[in-house]
Amino acid sequence: MVSAIMQSVSDDNMAIALSKEGGISFIFGSQSIESEAAMVAKVKSYKAGFVVSDSNIAPTSTLAEVLELKERTGHSTMAVTSDGTTNGKLVGIVTSRDYRVSRVPLDTKVETFMTPIKDMVVGTYQTTLKEANDIIWDNKLNTLPIVDQEGRLLYMVFRKDYSTHKQYPLELLDEQNAT
């Protein structure tokens, strides 16, 4: 399957969707070079099964901030990075199993109830999607953070996405699992 080179049809979302089905898409050219390059970058940075975390928090944040982030994003699993950024150094993880609102004061720091990295299973930047899913299943995890050589967070791989990967057996991926 190939998409038409039309602005109303072939954008970055269509390119990702078609690649999941084994197809290919053309990014339309009737736009600025910067916009076209941004679309291509988004498509090429999409790694099947590897999610860039948009729910990150710092260890010095409070439970109130965790609850606010959960309310805003709908995510109950949050990476704890040294500075609370997407690609900060991973220091831990917070899930809804790590706290109970009725028992933990809202001003409690995340570092006191998070699961620290020393107690976590973490994948490296070289981990493939198959290996990540095997690690998740073998260790009975819901989430596998993927870090680079310096321990900075790159991606999260989720157990719940496993069925999605099985749903798209024809997905077109390059050697880095990118579309």
Side-chain angles (χ1 to χ4, degrees):
M1 241 193 293
V2 178
S3 69
I5 308 175
M6 297 169 55
Q7 183 173 351
S8 61
V9 174
S10 292
D11 63 3
D12 46 355
N13 295 319
M14 177 61 81
I16 291 169
L18 279 174
S19 74
K20 287 179 178 179
E21 296 294 344
I24 189 168
S25 182
F26 295 96
I27 301 295
F28 64 92
S30 58
Q31 59 182 317
S32 71
I33 292 172
E34 294 79 19
S35 178
E36 188 174 351
M39 280 190 181
V40 170
K42 180 180 174 188
V43 173
K44 289 309 294 174
S45 68
Y46 175 83
K47 276 182 93 165
F50 292 84
V51 179
V52 175
S53 178
D54 61 356
S55 293
N56 306 294
I57 200 134
T60 55
S61 299
T62 63
L63 176 57
E65 291 170 289
V66 167
L67 297 174
E68 177 187 316
L69 183 58
K70 182 178 178 182
E71 177 71 25
R72 190 172 67 244
T73 64
H75 302 150
S76 59
T77 299
M78 298 168 198
V80 182
T81 59
S82 56
D83 56 4
T85 63
T86 299
N87 296 116
K89 185 174 176 74
L90 184 67
V91 295
I93 197 164
V94 170
T95 71
S96 56
R97 293 179 298 191
D98 292 321
Y99 59 86
R100 181 171 278 159
V101 177
S102 63
R103 293 182 161 198
V104 179
L106 293 177
D107 62 348
T108 304
K109 300 287 186 197
V110 168
E111 60 198 355
T112 65
F113 61 85
M114 71 180 191
T115 301
I117 194 164
K118 68 178 179 59
D119 297 333
M120 294 170 53
V121 177
V122 177
T124 69
Y125 66 98
Q126 297 169 319
T127 305
T128 66
L129 183 58
K130 180 185 180 333
E131 291 168 340
N133 282 312
D134 288 345
I135 292 168
I136 286 170
W137 287 95
D138 292 345
N139 292 281
K140 299 179 181 171
L141 304 172
N142 288 322
T143 308
L144 179 69
I146 305 293
V147 297
D148 68 10
Q149 303 93 314
E150 285 82 41
R152 290 186 306 260
L153 181 63
L154 296 173
Y155 306 105
M156 303 283 266
V157 179
F158 296 95
R159 174 187 287 258
K160 65 183 173 108
D161 292 337
Y162 181 76
S163 59
T164 302
H165 308 310
K166 292 295 185 189
Q167 181 181 352
Y168 298 107
L170 300 176
E171 190 167 29
L172 286 181
L173 303 173
D174 64 17
E175 60 277 355
Q176 284 87 38
N177 284 339
T179 57

